[in-house]
Structures are given as C-alpha cells and as structure tokens.
Amino acid sequence: MFTSTGSNGLYKAPLSKSLLLVPSAISILLTLLFQHYQKFFAYNLQAIKEDFQIWRLVCGRTICLDLKDTFCSSLLIYNFRIFERRYGSRKFSSFLLGAWMLSALFDLLLVEITQYIFGITINSLPSGFLGPVFALFVPFYSSIPRVQVTQVLGYFSITNKTLVYILGLQLLTSGSYIWILALSGLVSGICYNSNILKVHRILCVPSWVAKIFSWTLEPIFSSAEPTNEVRVGMGATIDIQRQQRMELLDRQIMMSQVAQMRRQRQQQGGMINWNRLFPPLRHRHNANYQDHRPSEQDTPPPTEVSEEQVARLMEMGFSRGDALEALRASNNDLNVATNFLLQH
C-alpha cells in the first residue's frame, strides 16, 4: 500500500489529493494568468483588523501566492498523507480544521506580541495553507518512527525523516515573516495533538458533514487501489525511490513493534492475555486445580480500552471486535493498533 507511485501513491487519501491539486492549480493560475486577482488572496492583516475583512482569513490562508511555497507545501502534504491513511479522512480533516483555526488566532497574537516587544509593525503575512502544514510536523515527530538510513562523513545520520525536515526548513526560510506562521502552526499542532482543553472535541468535522463530502468529493479525488506492488528501487526518479524506501522502513518498524508485543504475550495466550478471562491452561492438568484456584488478587485486571479510540478505529471501517482486540493487544496504543489492523 505504501510503495506505489503516481496517483496510486494517494490511495485512501482523497483529502490529501484535493489539497495537492486544487490549491496548487489556483496558485499557478493566479501567478501566470490572473495576476490582477492576487490582491483578493493576500493575507492582509491590516485589512482584517481595521476594515473587518474576515473573508481574507479564508482566502489568504488557503492559496499560496509564491510558487516556491506552493511547491514545498505540496511536497509536505504528499508526505503527510500517511496520517489520512492511518486515522481516516474525517479525523485528518478535523486536525487540519482545528490547526487552521487555532493558527489563525495565534497569527494575530504573535503579530501583536512582536509589535509590542520589538516595535515592528506587520501588515501582511505570507499567504497559503501553511499553518496546518507546519502543525502536521507535531504528529510526524511524535508518531512516525525514526529509522537511520545512512551516515554522512561518519557523523551525520540520514533517516527516513530527514528529507521532510529539510523541506520544512526550506519552507521556513522562504519569507521574512513566515516564522510567525511556522510558530503558530506548531503551537496549534501541539494544542490539538495533546488534547489540551479538549480542543479536538470542539474543533472537529461533524459526521454529517463528513458523509456529505464522502458522497460528493471523495469519488472525484479518490485514487484506484494499486493492483501490483512496485518493488523498491523501481521508481522513475531518485526521489520516488527514496520515498518508497522510507515508507517501507516505516512499515517494517511499526510491524516489528507489533511482533515484539506478540512475543511478549506468547506465554499468556497470544495477542490477547486470555489468562485475564479464563483460568490458566497450565493448571488444567492438575487434578487438585479446583483446590488451588487463583484468587482475585492474583488475577490481573483486564485492560481498559478507551471508547474514544474504539470509535476512531470503527470510523476507519474496522469492526468493534477487531478494534477491541487490537487495542488490548497494543496496550491502548492507537498507532500500533491501527497499523496492525491495516496489515491483517
């Protein structure tokens, strides 16, 4: 699933595909053909605060007016599509919506703080969908395993995440005030990802809205399931080959985590600790087992499974039974449970 190229590389990621195609196409058209319309997509803070042109928050924080920013943000969205595959389009869109709204608030706060402390008046910021893109670095850093690929000069490690960080650094240095967007995006990503003040419950996409978009837009932007697995190294370019290897390494390290948990629980009944539910099998051959029944204190309590995590897995299409089993086996680790269900 992770080693295909072309449009199949966006399989099970229709939202990521739409964010790649639509804003990029509009940005190219505005740059090449409709320059006189670019003023409507400028992230003009002065117009927002003084003239109450709130619509500029939507236009100015969606479409990039700099093609370099468009290129870098598109590559980052392509790499971050793995989160839509893991969590589903609804949760992924909820994260982007929450990060977009929070980063808009933090943009205004940081501009005011900069003016108060340094006396610098900032009337406009770089345009584009940059706040949510920087916010995605938070789950990327915390949930994507780091695997060393090679070393440069024997000291500097090159990992499966190095290229993404380089793209983020390139985007960070593309403008004078883009650091404000990056900082507000990272803070909003931390707030949403760490469930501070239960932001994820407030700033989320309702289920009925998700269903409407799944019926209307998903058929347009969905990609066909790859029929054949492309072997590693068969990419058309070096970048595609590198991306294939990175995704394969991510998949291998995640599956190794599941295999390690299975080995740890092998003596306790496989993936689920059946001893928590049934008497230990090793005592059944003992004729005096009934006289030596383990007490309640000797029996470990069953693992409590978060209903919220069960609901998230069920939103991705898994049955409740499979979700419960995977969460119990992974000690309520949603990432490990999701990847296990995707591979079995």
Side-chain angles (χ1 to χ4, degrees):
M1 179 176 60
F2 297 114
T3 58
S4 55
T5 59
S7 62
N8 286 342
L10 293 167
Y11 174 61
K12 287 188 176 181
L15 179 58
S16 300
K17 185 176 181 179
S18 65
L19 291 175
L20 278 174
L21 297 180
V22 178
S24 299
I26 296 177
S27 177
I28 293 174
L29 290 175
L30 289 174
T31 302
L32 301 179
L33 300 178
F34 305 103
Q35 293 91 344
H36 53 286
Y37 288 111
Q38 288 186 353
K39 59 182 179 180
F40 296 108
F41 294 90
Y43 192 5
N44 192 328
L45 298 176
Q46 185 177 4
I48 295 173
K49 292 185 293 185
E50 297 180 1
D51 301 332
F52 299 101
Q53 297 180 2
I54 307 299
W55 56 270
R56 288 190 179 274
L57 284 174
V58 179
C59 297
R61 303 187 74 252
T62 306
I63 306 299
C64 291
L65 297 181
D66 190 331
L67 289 182
K68 297 191 302 295
D69 295 346
T70 301
F71 179 74
C72 291
S73 59
S74 297
L75 288 178
L76 288 172
I77 290 174
Y78 180 80
N79 282 277
F80 290 147
R81 74 196 186 281
I82 186 175
F83 296 115
E84 185 175 6
R85 288 173 170 175
R86 284 188 179 186
Y87 306 132
S89 297
R90 182 189 174 189
K91 183 181 177 183
F92 184 65
S93 60
S94 296
F95 180 91
L96 294 179
L97 174 63
W100 187 88
M101 297 182 69
L102 289 174
S103 60
L105 175 61
F106 291 134
D107 285 348
L108 300 177
L109 289 177
L110 288 174
V111 168
E112 294 297 329
I113 293 173
T114 303
Q115 183 176 3
Y116 179 79
I117 297 178
F118 302 103
I120 301 175
T121 301
I122 302 176
N123 294 323
S124 62
L125 291 173
S127 303
F129 198 67
L130 303 179
V133 170
F134 281 110
L136 284 169
F137 275 97
V138 176
F140 180 77
Y141 173 80
S142 59
S143 63
I144 300 298
R146 178 178 177 272
V147 180
Q148 179 175 325
V149 179
T150 185
Q151 283 188 337
V152 178
L153 302 177
Y155 297 99
F156 303 100
S157 298
I158 304 297
T159 70
N160 57 325
K161 304 168 74 171
T162 302
L163 179 61
V164 178
Y165 289 135
I166 292 176
L167 287 173
L169 183 62
Q170 174 65 34
L171 184 61
L172 178 62
T173 57
S174 63
S176 56
Y177 294 120
I178 201 170
W179 65 268
I180 295 179
L181 302 176
L183 183 57
S184 63
L186 291 174
V187 173
S188 62
I190 293 173
C191 293
Y192 200 95
N193 198 56
S194 60
N195 299 332
I196 297 178
L197 301 178
K198 305 296 182 182
V199 177
H200 66 285
R201 295 185 179 180
I202 302 174
L203 302 178
C204 64
V205 177
S207 58
W208 62 271
V209 175
K211 290 181 180 179
I212 292 176
F213 278 95
S214 65
W215 294 335
T216 56
L217 298 181
E218 187 172 347
I220 300 175
F221 295 104
S222 60
S223 299
E225 181 178 2
T227 54
N228 295 319
E229 293 289 335
V230 180
R231 295 183 60 185
V232 175
M234 294 298 293
T237 65
I238 298 299
D239 290 336
I240 293 178
Q241 294 178 17
R242 185 183 298 111
Q243 180 65 25
Q244 291 174 351
R245 292 188 176 93
M246 297 306 100
E247 291 177 341
L248 182 59
L249 287 171
D250 285 342
R251 175 180 175 182
Q252 291 174 346
I253 191 67
M254 292 172 188
M255 293 308 300
S256 66
Q257 295 175 356
V258 177
Q260 182 179 2
M261 292 181 180
R262 295 182 66 178
R263 288 193 298 267
Q264 292 176 353
R265 289 168 172 78
Q266 187 175 4
Q267 296 179 353
Q268 300 178 348
M271 284 298 298
I272 297 181
N273 188 354
W274 295 107
N275 294 341
R276 297 174 179 175
L277 305 177
F278 302 103
L281 295 176
R282 63 178 178 269
H283 291 291
R284 290 190 177 180
H285 70 276
N286 191 346
N288 298 324
Y289 171 71
Q290 294 181 353
D291 297 333
H292 299 85
R293 189 181 303 275
S295 62
E296 295 181 357
Q297 296 180 351
D298 297 334
T299 304
T303 302
E304 294 183 1
V305 177
S306 172
E307 288 297 329
E308 180 181 356
Q309 293 180 346
V310 174
R312 291 179 181 178
L313 291 176
M314 293 178 66
E315 288 176 0
M316 298 173 61
F318 302 112
S319 66
R320 179 177 177 82
D322 292 341
L324 289 172
E325 180 179 353
L327 287 171
R328 287 169 181 164
S330 60
N331 289 329
N332 282 319
D333 190 319
L334 184 61
N335 294 332
V336 175
T338 303
N339 283 280
F340 175 76
L341 290 172
L342 287 173
Q343 302 299 328
H344 291 78

